[in-house]
Structure formats: structure tokens, C-alpha cells
Amino acid sequence: MRLLLILALLFPLPALAQTAVEPKLVPDVSQRNINIQSRFTGAELLLFGAIIYPRGVAPEGQVDVAVVLRGPTRPIILREKQKVAGIWVNAESIDFRSAPAYYAIASSRPIDKIVDARTAAIYELGLKRLQLSPTGEIQTSEVRRFTNGLVDLNRRDGLFAEAAGAVDITDQVLYRARLTIPSSVPEGRYVAETLLIRNGRVIVADDSVVVEISKTGFERFITIMAQEYGLLYGAFAVLISLFLGWFAGYVFRRL
């Protein structure tokens, strides 16, 4: 009896029961490296995996999965254009410290159907829940207005996407989703995160896979020259422009 009492104090039964029934995720992606070349027109990334249940038995109730692919974050300055005396000029602006260059989410059902607003905000599930960390003292309404503008711009460019019902779950074990990578995607380190949700609670949210998107060949050479040797790159661009202008004039004179 004394041994049982000690074990009960050290390992409470609810905690043991909770950890015993928690499933695990085994996520993966179809490509871990995406190369951007001159003929790059975009790519389609398949995110898939398996849900492993204790003793191989799925619990009763519906299981939902959400997958998020997030690109490199960087600070940006978002400016609003206004027409003054017939001329478009920069008006108000806002600084965001951590805006993702790419964000796409796919879920088995609409996000508001599987989690509440508080949980969605904690895990940044959905374009409305992105936390961009504005600098300075700015009214909430202004932050929301600029955030909506940024989301709208990136959405039209294909850099922000939200697809409810795009995750297929087979027998509550296998899942898969396809996300589109546009041709304008910037290079960098991307993280594909999978969240397992049941009864409105996120069970697993730390299983992620890294995807590297980088330029190769001549495009990479141009990028390195522009970023690391700006003066030499600018001088070379001017020389090429002068040569092309001279050559065009010479051809026209000959004609």
C-alpha cells in the first residue's frame, strides 16, 4: 500500500492517462530543396505524413489537421498612397518587425470550425491572425488596416494563401495537402509546420520540416553580385547599357 501511495503521488493517474493517449505526427514534404532558375514558373509542394496513435487505435471523434508553410520573416515598411493634386504620393506608413515573405495554410476544415479564436491567435492560424509586430504606438484600427492591405497585396501575388478543406485525411491516419509556390517567391529558409487538432484542442504543434528555396546558376551569380558587390555590379550595368546604346546607334546608322 505504501508503494502504491508513493507511485500515485509521483505519477498522477490523469497525467499518465493524458500522455498515454496523445498521438504523434510523422510529417514530411515532397521537396526539401527548391531551386529557382531562369525558367522557374513556380512549384507545387506536397505536405504529407502519418498520425501514430498509442496501441495503433484511433480515438473516437473527429481529428483535424492544419499545415502551415511560412517563409523567411523580415522587417518591412508599408506605405499608403494618396492622390494629392492629381499626383500619387506617399502618405501614412507603418513599420512591421516580422512580416513573413510567404505564408500559406491549409486545413481539413475551416479554421473557425476546428479551434476557437484564442487558439487560432496563439498559433497564428489564418491570415487574420498573423502577428506582424508593428513598431511604435499605433492604434489597433490602423494596424488592422495596414495588415489587411499587406495581406491583400501578397494574396494577389500568390505569396499569401488560405485553403480550407485542402487537407485530406485517410482513416484518421494519413494526411496530405498541396501548397502552391509562386514564381515570385523569395529565396530563404521556409518552415512547414503540421498541427494535429482534436475537440478544439491543438494536440501536436511542434513537428516541422525545413524547406530551402534558393537561386542557382546565373540567377544566383547576379544576386550575389548585386548584394555583395553593389558598386562593381552598378558599374558593370552602366557599361552594358552604354555598349547596347552605342551598338544600337551603330546599327541604325548602317541601315
Side-chain angles (χ1 to χ4, degrees), residues 66-250:
V67 293
V68 178
L69 181 64
R70 190 190 303 264
T73 58
R74 78 267 196 232
I76 64 170
I77 300 176
L78 195 64
R79 294 184 174 89
E80 185 179 39
K81 295 284 188 178
Q82 288 186 357
K83 199 172 185 179
V84 179
I87 301 175
W88 289 98
V89 296
N90 292 329
E92 298 182 14
S93 64
I94 186 173
D95 295 358
F96 289 120
R97 287 194 298 263
S98 58
Y102 175 91
Y103 177 94
I105 179 172
S107 54
S108 53
R109 289 189 295 159
I111 293 298
D112 57 356
K113 299 293 183 182
I114 57 180
V115 293
D116 55 26
R118 180 176 178 273
T119 303
I122 292 174
Y123 292 97
E124 294 187 71
L125 298 178
L127 296 175
K128 296 180 180 179
R129 276 86 181 193
L130 288 178
Q131 300 175 14
L132 306 179
S133 303
T135 61
E137 296 181 1
I138 305 172
Q139 295 182 358
T140 304
S141 59
E142 289 294 300
V143 173
R144 176 51 54 190
R145 184 165 64 90
F146 276 92
T147 300
N148 291 337
L150 178 64
V151 169
D152 182 63
L153 288 173
N154 286 332
R155 208 167 194 170
R156 281 184 284 174
D157 293 337
L159 296 173
F160 281 5
E162 195 171 26
V167 177
D168 297 325
I169 304 177
T170 304
D171 297 331
Q172 298 193 52
V173 176
L174 302 176
Y175 69 88
R176 63 185 181 276
R178 297 180 184 275
L179 296 178
T180 301
I181 308 296
S183 58
S184 58
V185 66
E187 60 178 341
R189 185 176 183 267
Y190 290 67
V191 177
E193 184 181 15
T194 304
L195 297 93
L196 182 63
I197 303 168
R198 182 170 179 268
N199 297 329
R201 186 172 66 92
V202 177
I203 300 175
V204 181
D206 58 352
D207 288 73
S208 58
V209 179
V210 175
V211 179
E212 294 286 346
I213 299 180
S214 58
K215 294 180 179 180
T216 59
F218 183 72
E219 288 75 17
R220 181 172 179 80
F221 171 75
I222 294 296
T223 301
I224 293 176
M225 288 291 295
Q227 292 179 351
E228 300 184 7
Y229 306 96
L231 183 60
L232 182 61
Y233 175 79
F236 186 68
V238 170
L239 290 176
I240 291 179
S241 300
L242 292 175
F243 173 77
L244 291 177
W246 172 83
F247 183 74
Y250 173 78

Side-chain angles (χ1 to χ4, degrees), residues 56-70:
V57 179
E60 296 182 358
Q62 187 170 5
V63 173
D64 289 288
V65 172
V67 293
V68 178
L69 181 64
R70 190 190 303 264

